[in-house]
Amino acid sequence: MSAARFPHLLRAELRLILRERLTWAILAALVAALCLAASTGAGRVAAERGALAQAAADGARVVHEARAAHERYGRPAPIKVNYWQDPTDAFGYMTYFMAAHAVKPPTPLAVLAAGQSDVQPAVMRVGFGYSTVFDDTAYEPGSAAKLRLGPFDLAFVLVYLVPLAVIALAGTRLSSEQDRGILRLIASQPIGPRRVAGAKFGAVALVAVAGVLGGTALALLVSGGLGSLDGWNGTLALLVMALAAYVAVWVAACTVVASFWRGAVAALAILVLAWVCVTVALPTALALAVDALSPVPSRIAAIDASRRAQAHFYTGAEGSRITAAWLAGTVPEAARRPDLVEAPEIKRLARDAFYDTALAGYRDAARAHALAGAAWGRRLAVLSPATILGLALETAAGTDAGRHAAFLSAGAAYRRDLSAFFEPRILAQALEPRPVCDGCPARLDFDAYDAVPSFAPSLPRAAAERQTLMALGSLMAGALLLAAVAHRRLAEWPA
Amino acid sequence: MRRIAAELALTARDARLRWIGSVLVLLLLVTGLGAWRDAARYAGEVGQVTAAERARWLGQDAKNPHSADHFGLWVFRASAPLAVLDPGTEPYTGRMVRVEAHVFNEAVYRAVQDAGPLARSGLGSVAEIVQLVVPLAAILLGFSAFAADRKRGTLRLALGNGVPPGRLFASRFTALFIALLAVVGAPLLGIGGLAVVSQEGAGWQAVPRLFAWVAAQLAYATAFLLLAMLVSLVARTARGALAAALAAWVVLCVAAPRLASAGVDAFAPALAYRDVRARIDAGFRAHRTAEANDVRAREVLARYGVSDADELPVDLRGLMMSENESHNFAVYDRELGAFFDSLAAQERAFAWAGLLSPRVALQSLSQTLAGTDFAQHAHFVWAVESYRRGISERMNAEIRDHPQRGGAVLVAGPDLWREIPPFVLQPLPFARALADARVPALVLALWLGLLAALCIPGIRRLRP
Amino acid sequence: MLAIRGATKRFGDRPALDGLDLSLRRGEVFALLGPNGAGKTTTVNLILGFLKADAGSVRVCGIDAGTDPIGARRHVAYIPEQVALYPGLSGVENLRYFATLAGLDLAKETAVALLAEAGLGREAHRRPAGSYSKGMRQKVGIAVALARQARLLLLDEPTSGLDPSAAADFSVTVRAAADRGTAILMATHDLYRVREMADRVGVLSRGRIVEEIAPRTLDHVGLERLYMERLAGGAA
């Protein structure tokens, strides 16, 4: 009698699994969850695109209205126009009209994970109107209950529910046979536990991988949430492999637990507790570790510093002194014009520069924390299969903390670009005010609305590919490690 | 009583209880004490900066009142004492507001923004541990109540010897409930007691809140204990009982809450803040143009029957600022009022969504009782706005009532600054929390009632 | 077919087998009689290679079950006391599944024929095994053994829990297998069926065979008396 051929055995196990009604119930529930998650994701991506379009339309509207006002006030009229109403005044336009936005467009795979998108905005209006202490003041308030519960997105289904589906499919293989007494008959055949376990768990892995990948593909097709994949095919392929590896990790974990030969009750309890540890407890512990490695700088201390700077500027003649010093440093020839020190726009520029200097340390610390937190998050995510896959999905979706930290820095740089664009024009208008015409309400002659720098958004394809590759490597290593443990433990049948 | 004592002795000897109890108590204590330390640090910082802000407001140089209005101040929301147990909406809502002229600023700097993605994994607070882990503990303690006995044959022995199934169920349930009281109720009361005693809790009625809060958590734990005992009554094997109870846990504690979130969003959508802000900007834009300003100025002169601003009995600039602000307030009230109303409606929908999962009902009930719910946040935001309007109105009135001729600028001093009282937030009273808690409490009670009712036929049909 | 020489097995301080010697020839039915804890299950576990002897050897068709358990099991078919089958699969499917584990590719028709040969009524072949009685499950177990053409059949308490008619059926099936040349080792308490089925009986006490009997030389009462005496002697 020959030893059982593995493919033959695998086919028999596949037949066994596919005969079970529970298998189909689990797969159906999983596909339904994936479809629902993909549709909520598609809705979110559509809303994000809508926000981007709204921001662009807002910017275009402002330019259009500024042009119209420029034309209107460029003709003689009896009305008085203040600087905050006058787009011909570069300072007035910069402060009260301009609608410049830093934007974080969704990636083609944005449907996969809501990530940080529900707490970190994808559109930031960059303004100079009112004092802000940090780059990330803007956010969109919404339902806190919704944020607490978290979104029902594909990442949730794939990272949290897929392992539970795998546990439901594979968690009691061998152990339920042991409980029912079937194992004794299996073990008495001329076959070792490794081959039987290999066939049983291999078959579950095939069914689970096919169910998860097929279900996800179906859900993406039905929801229509996938963007144009131009250049992102590699990332998608890596993600598919990472997902398969994630399923393999959980199947391998089920195999390890089966090798304890403790019966189905213990196997189920161990696996569900392992799920809690890997998907909930360990990430929470990692969050604490990130917190310890990159402590959050105090927002309140920064606010206090900003207020100290403000109080300092507005106490006695400090404001005038600071403005004079700034002016002398910026435009040496303005020293001949002491009246400029009290000009509101000059005072504002000087004040903002003073605030920037006073707060530079705090802002740098906040940016450094955002970047360091994201970096530590990336490093520590490797420690849990759930976090590493979650991070890969978020990075591919462009909703990860790392991209947002970079976005905040880019937004701050954009603010500096805008400042660098307007400052010389404001100074020039202050030094040599040139009205559009005599007797017309327009105070000055600024009209470079189209020349205002626009934000250059980026799509982090390389980062997504890197992170997904990292996830794939870690998950494959994890699956192999667990499989090796199971292989080692399954040398003999239990007596 | 003797039967309960016997069951209790059996339960106490169970190694499972020792393991589950130790892990649970350790988790609760570590998380609770961490939250208590953070709360103490935050309260200290808030106290310091609030005093500094008040000193800066009072210490302003003599200046035009409108400049003082722009100078403004920051106000901070103190945490509820029971936020140590359930931070509720606090990490997801801003707690610091810049009070300044013209702008209804958002409450900014949410802890969740700084915390990073991993912190939202689900065990960040005592309340989250109760919502996710305690049901699991209740299931692991309760699933074998009858199923294991059935397998061992001891159930046959007990029933065969005339022990009434109802009494057997009641004594087992009581023993396990007492075990839950010890491993869940006691640590919660301990951490809560520490939070109440060590924090400034004026106006919070923290002690009754604490007892009500702990009772809600125990009711939730009891629901899962009943669930575990129900499947134990019905399932033929311990494996079946555990599998069914765990499946119910996955559905009720893991999947359904997020499904509820998606469902509430679909059926009771809140207004998008972006659209609200766009409408506010549009409301201001038309009012802010030079032409509109000119029309209003002429209208004021006509109202007073004069042709020159210097002839007015009031200061034109002050009056127009005051009227502008009234217009802005109306826009804010209309748009942000509708926005906050839509969020409040969504919160109410979440309370009803508790019908999908007791976890959703508990989340709603728990944060309401802890004083960390959306109503408290909205109360803070509107109280700050009311304070801001008070400052603006007072400053504008000062300008309006002291007309300056020939372009002179009014200068005010510390006497005026002192007229503005410090910002003090009186939390919404506990009675209001109890009123808001009616729906989630009812929903949780329905869950308890349903599970208890389902147990009755199971007890009647109990077979070895 | 089976040769056990001086097999010793201890679990901690407790000896389960103490120098057991036992050999079995082709077509021979050997019954291991003994009370609970005598070492019957340990003997079965040694033959199947689930346990390794601390001393001595266990050989099945010349293959050492301790060092090559899978090789040894190629020649052994085992029918446990409670034959448990996949409840959702029919008898045919269960048989084909277990045959696959043994490396056989069993056609459906062959499986049907084997089940019929094992005595399972045709109407039961396609029913889920969850609805089978213990006797019917045992017949599927026998069909597995038949399919595998095993040279040694191990039966663990084969008649316990069977009604008299099922037990009689089973006896016939076992004897038929022996007549085809299969060596059969059964561990049992059932003196009545032992006398009917076994060619030789070994009384196992405290891990040793304390008496070997040719059962057909005694009537039931004599067999029972001898068994009780030997046990008492072994315990002394």
Side-chain angles (χ1 to χ4, degrees), chain A residues 72 119 139 298-299 304 307 316, chain B residues 45 56 61 72 107 110 114:
Chain A
R72 208 164 59 243
V119 291
Y139 78 100
S298 165
R299 298 278 193 177
D304 193 38
R307 294 291 288 169
Chain B
E45 272 193 300
R56 281 192 277 266
D61 279 357
R110 303 175 296 170
D114 289 329

Side-chain angles (χ1 to χ4, degrees), chain A residues 6 88 122 125 128 156 171 199 273 283 301 332 370 389 413 418 429 442:
Chain A
F6 191 73
T88 68
R125 183 164 176 161
F128 296 87
F156 167 68
L273 289 175
L389 180 70
L418 288 171
Q429 285 191 330

Side-chain angles (χ1 to χ4, degrees), chain C residues 174-214:
Chain C
V174 167
R175 275 296 350 155
D179 292 344
R180 279 194 299 271
T182 311
I184 296 170
L185 176 71
M186 51 194 272
T188 184
H189 295 293
D190 188 346
L191 293 174
Y192 184 80
R193 294 292 163 199
V194 157
R195 197 183 157 277
E196 222 167 60
M197 290 194 270
D199 300 313
R200 288 192 293 145
V201 173
V203 179
L204 195 63
S205 174
R206 299 192 162 192
R208 280 184 297 122
I209 292 184
V210 290
E211 176 79 50
E212 219 182 284
I213 309 163

Side-chain angles (χ1 to χ4, degrees), chain A residues 251-489:
Chain A
V251 174
C254 292
T255 319
V256 170
V257 173
S259 76
F260 298 153
W261 301 118
R262 290 296 186 89
V265 167
L268 269 183
I270 291 170
L271 284 166
V272 170
L273 289 175
W275 178 88
V276 171
C277 285
V278 167
T279 61
V280 183
L282 190 54
T284 307
L286 295 180
L288 291 176
V290 170
D291 235 18
L293 292 164
S294 161
V296 182
S298 165
R299 298 278 193 177
I300 293 177
I303 287 171
D304 193 38
S306 81
R307 294 291 288 169
R308 280 201 306 273
Q310 194 176 2
H312 182 79
F313 188 87
Y314 285 109
T315 301
E318 272 304 301
S320 301
R321 192 189 61 72
I322 291 166
T323 307
W326 177 82
L327 199 57
T330 316
V331 198
E333 63 269 31
R336 288 174 279 115
R337 297 273 308 274
D339 58 308
L340 280 181
V341 172
E342 293 307 320
E345 63 272 33
I346 302 296
K347 207 161 189 169
R348 176 74 78 87
L349 292 179
R351 187 198 75 175
D352 286 351
F354 173 68
Y355 287 174
D356 281 346
T357 311
L359 293 178
Y362 292 94
R363 285 188 177 143
D364 289 348
R367 273 177 219 139
H369 166 256
L371 290 167
W376 275 115
R378 269 196 305 275
R379 277 176 220 138
L380 296 181
V382 178
L383 296 176
S384 158
T387 49
I388 192 74
L389 180 70
L391 189 58
L393 289 167
E394 286 179 13
T395 315
T399 55
D400 58 311
R403 186 187 184 199
H404 193 75
F407 174 58
L408 290 179
S409 294
Y414 179 49
R415 195 171 187 275
R416 285 194 294 276
D417 289 348
L418 288 171
S419 187
F421 173 83
F422 279 106
E423 202 173 281
R425 287 168 171 81
I426 293 167
L427 282 168
Q429 285 191 330
L431 285 166
E432 266 185 83
R434 259 194 229 124
V436 178
C437 68
D438 286 335
C440 57
R443 305 161 78 248
L444 295 163
D445 62 348
F446 177 76
D447 64 353
Y449 310 122
D450 289 326
V452 173
S454 53
F455 182 77
S458 66
L459 285 178
R461 206 183 63 193
E465 214 163 279
R466 226 176 16 251
Q467 193 57 47
T468 316
L469 196 60
M470 180 78 171
L472 175 61
S474 318
L475 291 169
M476 277 174 60
L480 288 175
L481 182 73
L482 287 169
V485 171
H487 185 264
R488 197 183 149 82
R489 291 188 53 85

Side-chain angles (χ1 to χ4, degrees), chain B residues 2 138 200 293 314 422:
Chain B
R2 206 177 306 145
E200 175 60 48
N293 204 48
V314 292

